[in-house]
Amino acid sequence: MSRHRVVLFGATMAFYLAIVVAVLGSSWLVELDWKVMLYRPYEQWPQLHAFLDYFVVLGQRGPTAVMVMAWLGWRSWRQHTLRPLLTLGAALLLLNMTVGSVKLGLGRLGPHYATQIGSAELFAGGDIFPSGHTANAVVTWGILAYLATTPRARRWLSVISAMVALGVGATTVYLGTHWVSDVLLGWAAGLLILLALPWFEPLIARAEAFVFAVREKVRERRRSRASVPAPVPAPAVPAMPPQRGHDEDDAPVREPVGVAGGRGSGRPLPARPYQPARSERPPVVPAGTRRPPHTERTPRTAPARPLGG
């Protein structure tokens, strides 16, 4: 972290602690909160209410995280690095831990739930101090300027993110959902997270190296599985008939048990004479007539005609 950033971090931390002490002591800052709340800005300028209802969404954690994550995910894919996504994840984790713990620890009620005029409404079970919308707008949009690759882009994105964060904080005061001190502490809380991110860069780099190492192991395992050839089955060897010896040649041929001698009979069947197959028989060529000659018959001759005179 540079010296300039360290000085800025220390000044922001001092401002953060001063806001907390002022609210705890019910000082002039709490009186300012009540004056603005009783002024009811949403009643003074009702024509802005419809537009600011949509504009304040730029500070909600869910929609803004999805939009910024989509942009940083495209950058990560194009640049083949996980640093943008890991940086956003680390910033949102720090935001939830720091802002959430202070919200629950102080337990301040919002303007719509205030019970006593002039009171700081602390330790009453609320979760309004600091403003989560404001802190989230500072971190989510400020991370784009933090990850900018050129000085010009960093300057423009810093101005745009600052305007969005200031607008979201002022909108929450206009709508009456936050005190002025809530917004001031939300700006300081979000800026502290952006200024502290360089201290977490070594951890982000180690996390990125670990993810890439796991990915390479998975790819190597897939390549090894794909390169191993499938086992080729051995060709089937036909079974050779058992060879019989001289003594077996002289022995009579026996049919399998239970084929002709009855089921379960173990008696051998008598040997049958060899019958040649039809293909082995010599062809019979008929010669002359197929009818056998009859020796007892006399050949038929023409009858003698009487001689006419």
Side-chain angles (χ1 to χ4, degrees), residues 1 24 42 72 123 126 139 172 196 240 248 303:
M1 182 178 289
L24 288 174
Y42 55 88
L72 296 180
F123 310 109
V139 172
T172 58
M240 299 298 292
E248 295 178 356

Side-chain angles (χ1 to χ4, degrees), residues 18 78 111 119 163 180 186-187 206 236 277:
R78 185 177 180 181
S119 172
M163 292 177 62
V180 174
W187 283 332
R206 287 196 294 269

Side-chain angles (χ1 to χ4, degrees), residues 33-49 52 111-112 170-178 180:
D33 289 340
W34 277 99
K35 288 181 180 180
V36 174
M37 182 264 184
L38 295 176
Y39 184 70
R40 292 180 174 87
Y42 55 88
E43 293 182 357
Q44 303 298 325
W45 302 283
Q47 64 274 10
L48 300 177
H49 200 287
L52 294 179
H112 293 306
T171 300
T172 58
V173 176
Y174 167 85
L175 296 175
T177 57
H178 279 286
V180 174

Side-chain angles (χ1 to χ4, degrees), residues 8-46:
L8 189 57
F9 182 85
T12 307
M13 178 61 73
F15 179 77
Y16 186 96
L17 295 176
I19 297 297
V20 174
V21 171
V23 173
L24 288 174
S26 298
S27 63
W28 61 270
L29 186 56
V30 177
E31 295 178 3
L32 179 62
D33 289 340
W34 277 99
K35 288 181 180 180
V36 174
M37 182 264 184
L38 295 176
Y39 184 70
R40 292 180 174 87
Y42 55 88
E43 293 182 357
Q44 303 298 325
W45 302 283

